[in-house]
Amino acid sequence: MLSPHSTYETYFVFKIYEDACGLDSAKTSIRFVNEREEVPDDEARTIYFDPRTSAHNIEQRNGELSRWRKDEWMEIKIAEFETGARDDDDEVETQFMSTDTNVLKAGLIIQDFELRPKQSMTVV
């Protein structure tokens, strides 16, 4: 159950095999199931699996870059949302898709999708 009036971040946790292919980027989105049927394309976020991708290119494309964790898995932030004053029964759905259907994709190992309370930055 999520706390009301809170901001959450959604993370995708994964590994990629050394000989993986076709895993340059993907589109992700998040929605409250009871509120809308589909997320418009302009609200979907692009994620880049390779942490060596140039940060400058990511900013130009409005995307998110993966990073290594201490446990040897990689993670990437795929969405942020606020709960407001929601009922306990509301469902949150995360979509993860590739729109390039002509490219073979192989070598992605998914560990988890994690919902975390957003950490507030305190200025001292």
Side-chain angles (χ1 to χ4, degrees), residues 4-17:
H5 304 291
S6 299
T7 302
Y8 286 89
E9 297 174 321
T10 307
Y11 286 83
F12 175 57
V13 182
F14 64 98
K15 284 185 180 181
I16 296 179
Y17 280 114

Side-chain angles (χ1 to χ4, degrees), residues 52-118:
R52 298 168 296 181
T53 302
S54 165
H56 177 70
N57 288 340
I58 301 305
E59 289 173 12
Q60 286 181 334
R61 298 179 188 161
N62 188 27
E64 214 40 68
L65 188 60
S66 62
R67 67 179 184 86
W68 287 99
R69 297 172 15 150
K70 292 178 183 176
D71 62 1
E72 298 184 14
W73 287 85
M74 295 171 69
E75 72 177 14
I76 191 164
K77 180 179 166 183
I78 59 173
E80 184 175 307
F81 65 93
E82 294 182 14
T83 55
R86 303 194 169 279
D87 295 338
D88 291 342
D89 295 340
D90 281 354
E91 293 179 38
V92 177
E93 176 184 81
T94 299
Q95 293 183 356
F96 178 82
M97 64 203 116
S98 175
T99 55
D100 189 355
T101 58
N102 295 327
V103 176
L104 174 67
K105 293 163 184 31
L108 179 64
I109 306 165
I110 300 171
Q111 182 193 50
D112 203 1
F113 283 93
E114 297 179 358
L115 296 177
R116 303 178 195 157
K118 183 174 182 176

Side-chain angles (χ1 to χ4, degrees), residues 11-29:
Y11 286 83
F12 175 57
V13 182
F14 64 98
K15 284 185 180 181
I16 296 179
Y17 280 114
E18 192 173 309
D19 58 350
C21 63
L23 299 173
D24 298 324
S25 65
K27 292 277 190 180
T28 65
S29 63

